[in-house]
Amino acid sequence: MMHDSDALLDALRQAGDPEAVQALEQLIQHGADEELVRINALSFAGEHGLSQDAVISTLLHGARLGLFEMSWNILCSSCGGVLGANASLKSVRQDAYRCAFCALDTEPILDDAVEVSFAISPRIRRVAAHDPGSLAFWDYHRQIFFGTGVVFPEPPAFEDLARLATLEAVELQAGERMILALQIPAGSLILFDPVTHTAQVLDVAGEPAQQRQELSLVFDDIRPAVGHVDLKPGQLRLTLENRSEERVLPGIFIAGEALNTLIGGRRPFLTAKRLLSNQAFRDIYRTDALDVDQRLKILSLTFVFTDLTGSTDLYERVGDLVAYDLVRSHFQILTAVVASHGGAVVKTIGDAVMATFPMPSQAVAAALEMREAMRRLNTGRETDELILKIGLHEGPCLAVLLNDRQDYFGQTVNIAARVQELATSGAIFVSEPVVRHAEAARLLTEKGLQAQRHLCSLRGIGSRMPVFELT
């Protein structure tokens, strides 16, 4: 470790969750090299019995301090391979990313196609993955190519499956050329290099070839390249040439049960959608998430809008100074409630709050706690001056940069704001997608709440839609 690591860890102790800091410090000092590459925040939290949000927040503070490096990885929707690793979400610019291994295109949707991982900084501790060219064939695949959502079997099952799933695996340095003599079986084979993302699909079928077959493949820096060839079972003379500027690791994989079992395990991972709705992230990276011309798609996000009722009368009754202190206290309370339920405050507008949550159930739980928190505040002040009206809606949207702030755009945002406008003093109004969400419905049942249906016209929206009051 570098000499300044102790000072950085001291700073992290001041900013992060104490238990999460202790677990990460142990990882930095004693973890194996492969454990310090592409850290899965959710899995790390589960393995150490820690709060996911506490681990995420602590890793974010660690990245800000320079202990860790954060990566926004575009994932193949099929194999979970990393199609592009970016130091910032600002670098996610393509409409689609090609997986040569699966021959599929993936749109960088923030819900599940963009993961956020963390790796130890080489300033703090150098690990093998800081020099990818030194990694062995499967170490490269596990630490560099595949994302944190892929779970590999434990030894010795891994070695057994890798042997069954791989016909051949080689290493070619820059400028090197190699000729292989192979006996290829009937079936589907994938010749793939994880470094240049070059692939050749070999469909092997029919009667065995009477003569030796020939195939050549060139690896260069134009990626990804995918080809397709029909062959017969039998002898194959395979010529591989590396014209790229780095070492390549071509392997011939047998598409089948062994390969599916080898790379088919999955676990949850930290998505870009969740991180953008994390309060610690918004506090640390206020204006550094997106560029002004980016429009990144989210398929499902839950919006909560709140507003204080009678705030104009409040200012007239108690005066600007007292009213300002009251409103500021209410903002602090709501921000804490939002963060405690895994959401983030996007902005405040006058006396109103706009917040986002990855899941409708989180938003419902937060809305209920917001209402109770205001009741407690009023009881403590022996008044009823701070009464909220709250509206919730879930749906697709775009993550954008507006007024130098990471924000959201789309009809879902508009509807959420209009649902809040319908709410009466002290009420929580929600849209149909929220009450129909299984976990949100279960939460309402546990709380003994009913969803009273109204058919309403929302200003500027058009046709009437069902809106539900939680009673």
Side-chain angles (χ1 to χ4, degrees):
M1 297 173 69
M2 300 289 289
H3 294 301
D4 62 351
S5 63
D6 290 339
L8 294 177
L9 284 169
D10 284 340
L12 185 60
R13 294 185 192 102
Q14 299 299 315
D17 174 83
E19 292 183 344
V21 172
Q22 184 178 15
L24 287 169
E25 188 172 355
Q26 288 294 311
L27 177 67
I28 292 171
Q29 294 175 344
H30 306 293
D33 277 13
E34 59 268 23
E35 296 179 296
L36 288 157
V37 182
R38 290 202 175 136
I39 298 167
N40 182 320
L42 308 190
S43 293
F44 185 85
E47 291 163 4
H48 293 83
L50 301 171
S51 157
Q52 291 183 356
D53 286 331
V55 169
I56 294 169
S57 173
T58 304
L59 283 167
L60 288 169
H61 285 293
R64 176 182 60 84
L65 290 167
L67 285 159
F68 300 99
E69 295 177 340
M70 186 163 54
S71 181
W72 304 74
N73 306 320
I74 314 300
L75 302 179
C76 173
S77 57
S78 178
C79 71
V82 174
L83 310 181
N86 306 278
S88 168
L89 192 56
K90 292 180 179 180
S91 301
V92 179
R93 292 287 181 174
Q94 297 174 212
D95 293 332
Y97 288 74
R98 184 72 168 173
C99 179
F101 187 73
C102 301
L104 289 174
D105 289 330
T106 294
E107 186 179 0
I109 294 170
L110 301 187
D111 302 68
D112 54 12
V114 184
E115 72 166 6
V116 183
S117 64
F118 299 83
I120 190 68
S121 168
R123 293 175 52 225
I124 304 304
R125 175 179 160 184
R126 286 204 65 84
V127 297
H130 288 140
D131 179 17
S134 69
L135 294 174
F137 182 85
W138 277 112
D139 289 337
Y140 188 97
H141 283 80
R142 296 174 67 166
Q143 297 180 39
I144 305 296
F145 179 71
F146 286 105
T148 67
V150 178
V151 182
F152 296 96
E154 293 295 326
F158 177 84
E159 288 78 9
D160 293 339
L161 288 166
R163 188 166 50 252
L164 291 171
T166 311
L167 183 65
E168 185 64 87
V170 299
E171 174 181 327
L172 275 75
Q173 299 298 328
E176 190 175 359
R177 185 169 179 266
M178 181 180 294
I179 298 175
L180 302 176
L182 303 172
Q183 188 74 23
I184 57 172
S188 181
L189 306 178
I190 306 169
L191 172 54
F192 175 69
D193 167 51
V195 181
T196 60
H197 289 227
T198 300
Q200 186 91 37
V201 178
L202 315 180
D203 282 332
V204 185
E207 294 295 322
Q210 299 301 311
Q211 297 180 338
R212 185 178 64 189
Q213 303 167 100
E214 303 276 348
L215 180 64
S216 297
L217 188 62
V218 173
F219 306 97
D220 54 32
D221 295 315
I222 303 172
R223 64 179 73 180
V226 183
H228 184 283
V229 64
D230 293 323
L231 295 170
K232 294 181 178 181
Q235 290 187 342
L236 173 67
R237 185 177 188 266
L238 177 62
T239 302
L240 304 174
E241 184 176 357
N242 182 10
R243 295 181 187 170
S244 75
E245 296 181 354
E246 52 193 336
R247 180 199 65 161
V248 297
L249 295 169
I252 302 176
F253 300 93
I254 303 170
E257 183 178 350
L259 182 60
N260 291 337
T261 305
L262 185 67
I263 65 174
R266 295 292 183 268
R267 63 181 176 180
F269 55 86
L270 177 59
T271 65
K273 179 181 87 168
R274 177 167 179 178
L275 195 59
L276 292 182
S277 284
N278 178 277
Q279 191 64 53
F281 176 79
R282 294 193 68 94
D283 291 343
I284 295 170
Y285 299 90
R286 293 179 181 273
T287 61
D288 197 38
L290 297 169
D291 274 337
V292 68
D293 60 342
Q294 279 183 291
R295 310 284 188 270
L296 295 175
K297 186 182 295 185
I298 296 175
L299 296 181
S300 172
L301 195 65
T302 305
F303 291 85
V304 174
F305 280 83
T306 75
D307 199 6
L308 284 172
T309 59
S311 58
T312 301
D313 293 340
L314 172 66
Y315 279 85
E316 292 180 355
R317 190 165 55 253
V318 301
D320 288 348
L321 187 60
V322 174
Y324 173 77
D325 287 339
L326 283 171
V327 171
R328 187 174 62 175
S329 295
H330 129 275
F331 280 144
Q332 292 171 343
I333 290 170
L334 295 192
T335 299
V337 169
V338 168
S340 71
H341 289 280
V345 172
V346 177
K347 58 187 173 184
T348 60
I349 312 162
D351 302 327
V353 168
M354 171 185 170
T356 58
F357 297 83
M359 302 287 288
S361 54
Q362 296 169 294
V364 170
L368 296 172
E369 188 175 335
M370 288 176 185
R371 185 163 64 179
E372 289 303 313
M374 288 300 100
R375 287 175 180 170
R376 290 194 298 270
L377 182 61
N378 285 329
T379 299
R381 294 182 54 85
E382 297 183 348
T383 182
D384 59 355
E385 293 171 325
L386 297 175
I387 306 296
L388 290 178
K389 53 178 186 174
I390 306 174
L392 287 72
H393 180 53
E394 176 271 336
C397 62
L398 296 175
V400 299
L401 191 72
L402 289 175
N403 301 319
D404 296 324
R405 178 196 295 116
Q406 193 265 304
D407 207 330
Y408 300 93
F409 178 83
Q411 189 74 324
T412 297
V413 184
N414 299 331
I415 292 175
R418 301 298 180 259
V419 170
Q420 183 271 319
E421 289 178 359
L422 292 174
T424 54
S425 181
I428 299 174
F429 277 35
V430 304
S431 65
E432 189 165 26
V434 174
V435 295
R436 295 289 180 253
H437 186 266
E439 291 185 23
R442 184 162 52 250
L443 175 63
L444 295 178
T445 300
E446 292 173 357
K447 298 287 187 181
L449 295 170
Q450 301 292 322
Q452 185 176 352
R453 187 178 187 272
H454 305 278
L455 194 61
C456 302
S457 296
L458 276 64
R459 180 172 61 87
I461 300 302
S463 59
R464 301 210 302 171
M465 61 179 290
V467 176
F468 299 79
E469 181 180 1
L470 304 186
T471 61

